[in-house]
Amino acid sequence: MSALLLNLEPGDEVIMPSFTFVSTANAFVLRGAVPVFVDIRPDTLNIDEKLIEAAITSRTRAICVVHYAGVACAMDEILAVAERHGLTVIEDAAQAIFSSYKGRRLGGIGALAALSFHETKNVISGEGGALLVNDPCLEERAEIIREKGTNRSKFFRGQVDKYTWVDVGSSYLPGEIIAAFLAAQLEQGEAITRTRLSLWDTYHAWAEPYEVGGVVRRPVVPVECTHNAHMYYLLLPSLEARMRFIESMREAGVGTVFHYIPLHSSPAGQRFGRTSGGMEITDSVSGRLVRLPLYVGLEDQQEAVIDAASLALDSLQVEFG
Ligand SMILES: *Cc1c(COP(=O)(O)O)cnc(C)c1O
């Protein structure tokens, strides 16, 4: 919907990280736009704001930032670059509901933002999401695009006496059952976030000695960011260390996963996008990151997960520490 609202045309460029889920790029590729991938910061794993300006060309239309793990990108710097070059900032806030940056909620900073309510996120409806429209100039058309390109919303409010097809659009509204499920989740949003933060803090305190020992690097949350405990990850010393960690967790009955295959090295990323500058951090991090289980309901089992992870890291420490 953001891509439609911006009237992107074939050949237009959108700057984004390569270290993200495919949906960040797909939205724009579907309009014929070219994702231009920029490397990430080694601390937050968010797009490196210092590399954005060098990626701008005469075709650049937007910067799509991703608040990885619910930790904010450097929005002040990014908004300033966008303003200097007349670009729109879109926030992929899929992971970032209830997070904030200098007191401002993520998803409320760029002209447009998207939340995800996919079952893997903090607040869920199975499948689903929300477009947040922060630029009032885009509101009216967003409503039309959401309603199959019709002005039906105006009709419901009694502003027109019949509704008709006025623009492009599709069927973006959730059904009643999904909306009801989501409403209940949103009512529990604060409690969900509190529980997740407590699980996150427990992992973070447990992992500290391993970081001091040099065998892992823990997530970094800058002081200006308040996060939502979307994810707890560890960075291991190498791809091989990660394979051994995951295998050892599996033997203890704990499933752990990693991500992302960088978009710039995936077949579709190579076909539809291009890189700007090197991708060293993206490539390095994507081979070494592992996620620990984190969901409401884990409370009683977290100790067992930590025991298994301690065992796995102790044996890695002998080699890598
Ligand atoms: C989950 C996720 C998406 C996609 O969300 P959907 O609701 O599946 O469309 C996009 N971007 C990021 C960074 C995500 O984590």
Side-chain angles (χ1 to χ4, degrees), residues 20-21 23-24 66 92 94-95 115-118 120-121 127-129 260:
T20 182
F21 189 58
S23 301
T24 315
V66 178
D92 179 336
Q95 306 180 4
L115 298 175
S116 171
F117 304 124
H118 184 258
T120 53
K121 303 303 197 296
E127 292 279 359
Y260 299 102

Side-chain angles (χ1 to χ4, degrees), residues 203 206-207 210 215-216 232-258 287-293 304-317 319-320:
Y203 278 139
W206 157 77
Y210 290 103
V215 74
V216 300
Y232 200 86
Y233 66 82
L234 297 172
L235 286 177
L236 295 170
S238 66
L239 180 65
E240 200 213 326
R242 180 174 74 183
M243 276 162 44
R244 295 234 305 270
F245 179 85
I246 290 174
E247 181 51 32
S248 151
M249 293 296 275
R250 192 186 355 245
E251 281 164 13
V254 183
T256 52
V257 293
F258 61 82
R288 298 186 294 119
L289 184 142
V290 67
R291 301 174 63 172
L292 298 182
V305 173
I306 284 178
D307 288 346
S310 298
L311 213 64
L313 291 184
D314 287 341
S315 75
L316 287 179
Q317 186 132 41
E319 200 167 331
F320 297 97

Side-chain angles (χ1 to χ4, degrees), residues 174-186:
E176 296 275 306
I177 293 171
I178 280 179
F181 191 100
L182 179 61
Q185 280 275 303
L186 286 167

Side-chain angles (χ1 to χ4, degrees), residues 78-96:
I78 291 166
L79 291 171
V81 174
E83 173 134 40
R84 269 203 299 282
H85 295 272
L87 308 176
T88 304
V89 174
I90 302 163
E91 298 176 74
D92 179 336
Q95 306 180 4

